[in-house]
Amino acid sequence: METCVNLNDLNKWFGSFQVLDSINLSISTGEKVVICGPSGSGKSTLIRCVNALEPFQSGSVTVCGISVEKNGRNATEIQRRVGMVFQQFNLFPHLSVLKNCTLAPCRVLGLSGDEAESKAMHYLERVRIPEQASKYPADLSGGQQQRVAIARALTMEPELMLFDEPTSALDPEVVTEVLDTMVDLAETGMTMICVTHEMGFAKQVADRVVFMDEGKIIEIATPEKFFSEPTHERTQFFLSRVLG
């Protein structure tokens, strides 16, 4: 199977603090990988290195066949191929939902206004909020805003989607609508890397679960094995806390 992401001996420091320690991970095209672990374990930094949002000091990152330069010099080339959804929605408050979704296709891909709007409406329908197209972010619930953020990322037709704890800023009652949207996306065959504490989502969608702690990958397993037979003591402790 073709490789979409390859991390080889990836190391990153913030000053004297090593946030990523000898990370090795290969993800195939079409694979869904969930990354979990305690706060401060390096999960978000890892996927930000994949998307060339964070420079790194040593090792290599290859995404969609392109080698990411350590200093992020080719970030634009990488980010044209990779969509990312953050904890905060990062929508432009002064633009309508539709305009939020058409801005990048027009400016980056060079689409006409009509082409971009057609594409945006297609993806707003996919995330089940086409009726919100003319509204502004402040008029939407948190769950709706996050679904707009997913649609906006999809309008660039990425080869890879990254999710950085996309439900952590949401009220509990709207988490499900965002997770359902992500499940729908996974079923289309999209390659996905999701940093999340939503273990039910991991069980339902992930091909593999990666557990990180203190900047290291501690364990990688299928969901079945990860949840029923975790091999590392640190993984066992983490699951006992999050699953109760």
Side-chain angles (χ1 to χ4, degrees), residues 132-158:
Q132 308 295 345
S134 63
K135 293 185 179 178
Y136 287 80
D139 300 323
L140 307 182
S141 70
Q144 289 172 327
Q145 289 187 63
Q146 194 61 293
R147 283 189 281 162
V148 172
I150 294 171
R152 179 178 62 178
L154 291 173
T155 60
M156 296 294 288
E157 300 196 336

Tab-separated table of all heavy atoms in Angstrom, residues 132-158:
chain	number	residue	atom	x	y	z
A	132	GLN	N	-26.835	26.724	6.329
A	132	GLN	CA	-26.149	27.764	7.110
A	132	GLN	C	-25.219	28.623	6.251
A	132	GLN	O	-24.524	29.490	6.774
A	132	GLN	CB	-25.320	27.112	8.235
A	132	GLN	CG	-26.072	26.136	9.110
A	132	GLN	CD	-27.176	26.773	9.933
A	132	GLN	OE1	-27.229	27.988	10.075
A	132	GLN	NE2	-28.062	25.958	10.480
A	133	ALA	N	-25.214	28.409	4.946
A	133	ALA	CA	-24.207	29.030	4.071
A	133	ALA	C	-24.178	30.550	4.163
A	133	ALA	O	-23.106	31.162	4.085
A	133	ALA	CB	-24.430	28.596	2.627
A	134	SER	N	-25.323	31.186	4.319
A	134	SER	CA	-25.362	32.647	4.312
A	134	SER	C	-25.170	33.253	5.700
A	134	SER	O	-25.072	34.477	5.840
A	134	SER	CB	-26.694	33.128	3.726
A	134	SER	OG	-27.766	32.699	4.545
A	135	LYS	N	-25.106	32.420	6.726
A	135	LYS	CA	-24.948	32.924	8.088
A	135	LYS	C	-23.483	33.231	8.396
A	135	LYS	O	-22.578	32.853	7.654
A	135	LYS	CB	-25.497	31.903	9.086
A	135	LYS	CG	-27.006	31.726	9.002
A	135	LYS	CD	-27.513	30.797	10.085
A	135	LYS	CE	-29.029	30.627	10.016
A	135	LYS	NZ	-29.529	29.692	11.042
A	136	TYR	N	-23.284	33.911	9.530
A	136	TYR	CA	-21.936	34.230	9.986
A	136	TYR	C	-21.578	33.318	11.160
A	136	TYR	O	-22.472	32.806	11.856
A	136	TYR	CB	-21.845	35.702	10.391
A	136	TYR	CG	-21.864	36.617	9.189
A	136	TYR	CD1	-23.072	36.940	8.554
A	136	TYR	CD2	-20.682	37.127	8.654
A	136	TYR	CE1	-23.094	37.750	7.420
A	136	TYR	CE2	-20.683	37.939	7.528
A	136	TYR	CZ	-21.898	38.248	6.913
A	136	TYR	OH	-21.910	39.030	5.790
A	137	PRO	N	-20.291	33.088	11.396
A	137	PRO	CA	-19.892	32.165	12.460
A	137	PRO	C	-20.565	32.424	13.811
A	137	PRO	O	-20.930	31.476	14.521
A	137	PRO	CB	-18.369	32.369	12.540
A	137	PRO	CG	-17.992	32.701	11.127
A	137	PRO	CD	-19.129	33.561	10.613
A	138	ALA	N	-20.746	33.690	14.168
A	138	ALA	CA	-21.351	34.003	15.470
A	138	ALA	C	-22.793	33.514	15.584
A	138	ALA	O	-23.326	33.378	16.695
A	138	ALA	CB	-21.302	35.507	15.727
A	139	ASP	N	-23.433	33.245	14.439
A	139	ASP	CA	-24.821	32.778	14.444
A	139	ASP	C	-24.920	31.270	14.617
A	139	ASP	O	-26.032	30.727	14.701
A	139	ASP	CB	-25.516	33.164	13.129
A	139	ASP	CG	-25.543	34.666	12.915
A	139	ASP	OD1	-25.718	35.394	13.909
A	139	ASP	OD2	-25.385	35.099	11.753
A	140	LEU	N	-23.795	30.573	14.647
A	140	LEU	CA	-23.783	29.115	14.681
A	140	LEU	C	-23.377	28.583	16.047
A	140	LEU	O	-22.675	29.254	16.803
A	140	LEU	CB	-22.796	28.571	13.629
A	140	LEU	CG	-22.941	29.062	12.191
A	140	LEU	CD1	-21.912	28.365	11.310
A	140	LEU	CD2	-24.350	28.829	11.662
A	141	SER	N	-23.783	27.354	16.326
A	141	SER	CA	-23.312	26.670	17.530
A	141	SER	C	-21.855	26.255	17.326
A	141	SER	O	-21.330	26.256	16.204
A	141	SER	CB	-24.158	25.423	17.794
A	141	SER	OG	-23.882	24.433	16.800
A	142	GLY	N	-21.206	25.869	18.413
A	142	GLY	CA	-19.825	25.414	18.308
A	142	GLY	C	-19.691	24.213	17.393
A	142	GLY	O	-18.759	24.131	16.588
A	143	GLY	N	-20.633	23.275	17.500
A	143	GLY	CA	-20.586	22.093	16.641
A	143	GLY	C	-20.750	22.448	15.173
A	143	GLY	O	-20.074	21.892	14.298
A	144	GLN	N	-21.638	23.390	14.889
A	144	GLN	CA	-21.823	23.829	13.503
A	144	GLN	C	-20.573	24.536	12.983
A	144	GLN	O	-20.161	24.334	11.842
A	144	GLN	CB	-23.035	24.752	13.409
A	144	GLN	CG	-24.372	24.044	13.595
A	144	GLN	CD	-25.530	25.015	13.696
A	144	GLN	OE1	-25.392	26.126	14.209
A	144	GLN	NE2	-26.686	24.597	13.208
A	145	GLN	N	-19.957	25.369	13.834
A	145	GLN	CA	-18.731	26.058	13.413
A	145	GLN	C	-17.618	25.058	13.095
A	145	GLN	O	-16.877	25.222	12.118
A	145	GLN	CB	-18.268	27.031	14.499
A	145	GLN	CG	-19.156	28.249	14.649
A	145	GLN	CD	-18.566	29.265	15.604
A	145	GLN	OE1	-17.495	29.812	15.369
A	145	GLN	NE2	-19.272	29.512	16.707
A	146	GLN	N	-17.520	24.008	13.909
A	146	GLN	CA	-16.472	23.026	13.643
A	146	GLN	C	-16.758	22.254	12.355
A	146	GLN	O	-15.840	21.918	11.603
A	146	GLN	CB	-16.321	22.065	14.833
A	146	GLN	CG	-15.054	21.223	14.817
A	146	GLN	CD	-13.786	22.032	14.855
A	146	GLN	OE1	-13.468	22.751	13.907
A	146	GLN	NE2	-13.047	21.931	15.957
A	147	ARG	N	-18.028	22.020	12.062
A	147	ARG	CA	-18.365	21.351	10.799
A	147	ARG	C	-18.066	22.263	9.602
A	147	ARG	O	-17.650	21.791	8.542
A	147	ARG	CB	-19.820	20.901	10.803
A	147	ARG	CG	-20.041	19.645	11.642
A	147	ARG	CD	-21.417	19.081	11.465
A	147	ARG	NE	-22.413	19.787	12.234
A	147	ARG	CZ	-23.725	19.728	12.010
A	147	ARG	NH1	-24.199	19.016	10.989
A	147	ARG	NH2	-24.560	20.382	12.789
A	148	VAL	N	-18.250	23.570	9.785
A	148	VAL	CA	-17.844	24.514	8.734
A	148	VAL	C	-16.334	24.430	8.531
A	148	VAL	O	-15.839	24.430	7.396
A	148	VAL	CB	-18.260	25.958	9.089
A	148	VAL	CG1	-17.651	26.953	8.088
A	148	VAL	CG2	-19.779	26.096	9.101
A	149	ALA	N	-15.583	24.345	9.636
A	149	ALA	CA	-14.124	24.251	9.537
A	149	ALA	C	-13.708	22.996	8.779
A	149	ALA	O	-12.749	23.015	7.988
A	149	ALA	CB	-13.505	24.265	10.933
A	150	ILE	N	-14.429	21.898	8.987
A	150	ILE	CA	-14.139	20.662	8.251
A	150	ILE	C	-14.457	20.852	6.764
A	150	ILE	O	-13.653	20.483	5.897
A	150	ILE	CB	-14.942	19.479	8.841
A	150	ILE	CG1	-14.457	19.175	10.267
A	150	ILE	CG2	-14.808	18.236	7.955
A	150	ILE	CD1	-15.319	18.175	11.024
A	151	ALA	N	-15.617	21.450	6.478
A	151	ALA	CA	-15.986	21.701	5.076
A	151	ALA	C	-14.962	22.605	4.410
A	151	ALA	O	-14.563	22.382	3.258
A	151	ALA	CB	-17.377	22.322	5.004
A	152	ARG	N	-14.530	23.643	5.120
A	152	ARG	CA	-13.546	24.570	4.564
A	152	ARG	C	-12.251	23.842	4.206
A	152	ARG	O	-11.673	24.076	3.135
A	152	ARG	CB	-13.249	25.686	5.573
A	152	ARG	CG	-12.213	26.690	5.081
A	152	ARG	CD	-11.978	27.798	6.078
A	152	ARG	NE	-11.458	27.302	7.351
A	152	ARG	CZ	-11.143	28.082	8.374
A	152	ARG	NH1	-11.303	29.394	8.294
A	152	ARG	NH2	-10.675	27.566	9.490
A	153	ALA	N	-11.807	22.941	5.078
A	153	ALA	CA	-10.593	22.176	4.777
A	153	ALA	C	-10.801	21.281	3.564
A	153	ALA	O	-9.910	21.141	2.720
A	153	ALA	CB	-10.188	21.340	5.996
A	154	LEU	N	-11.980	20.707	3.440
A	154	LEU	CA	-12.252	19.778	2.337
A	154	LEU	C	-12.351	20.479	0.987
A	154	LEU	O	-12.122	19.850	-0.057
A	154	LEU	CB	-13.539	18.997	2.611
A	154	LEU	CG	-13.470	17.987	3.762
A	154	LEU	CD1	-14.855	17.398	4.032
A	154	LEU	CD2	-12.474	16.878	3.446
A	155	THR	N	-12.686	21.763	0.984
A	155	THR	CA	-12.798	22.473	-0.300
A	155	THR	C	-11.455	22.534	-1.033
A	155	THR	O	-11.431	22.741	-2.251
A	155	THR	CB	-13.317	23.921	-0.112
A	155	THR	OG1	-12.414	24.639	0.731
A	155	THR	CG2	-14.718	23.932	0.460
A	156	MET	N	-10.369	22.332	-0.312
A	156	MET	CA	-9.051	22.295	-0.947
A	156	MET	C	-8.725	20.904	-1.487
A	156	MET	O	-7.652	20.676	-2.034
A	156	MET	CB	-7.984	22.751	0.046
A	156	MET	CG	-8.128	24.200	0.491
A	156	MET	SD	-7.850	25.344	-0.865
A	156	MET	CE	-6.077	25.187	-1.071
A	157	GLU	N	-9.662	19.981	-1.288
A	157	GLU	CA	-9.524	18.592	-1.736
A	157	GLU	C	-8.171	18.007	-1.337
A	157	GLU	O	-7.371	17.580	-2.180
A	157	GLU	CB	-9.784	18.491	-3.241
A	157	GLU	CG	-11.192	18.957	-3.582
A	157	GLU	CD	-11.674	18.542	-4.960
A	157	GLU	OE1	-10.835	18.293	-5.840
A	157	GLU	OE2	-12.904	18.486	-5.135
A	158	PRO	N	-7.916	17.967	-0.032
A	158	PRO	CA	-6.623	17.481	0.463
A	158	PRO	C	-6.468	15.972	0.291
A	158	PRO	O	-7.456	15.235	0.210
A	158	PRO	CB	-6.668	17.855	1.949
A	158	PRO	CG	-8.125	17.829	2.290
A	158	PRO	CD	-8.821	18.349	1.070
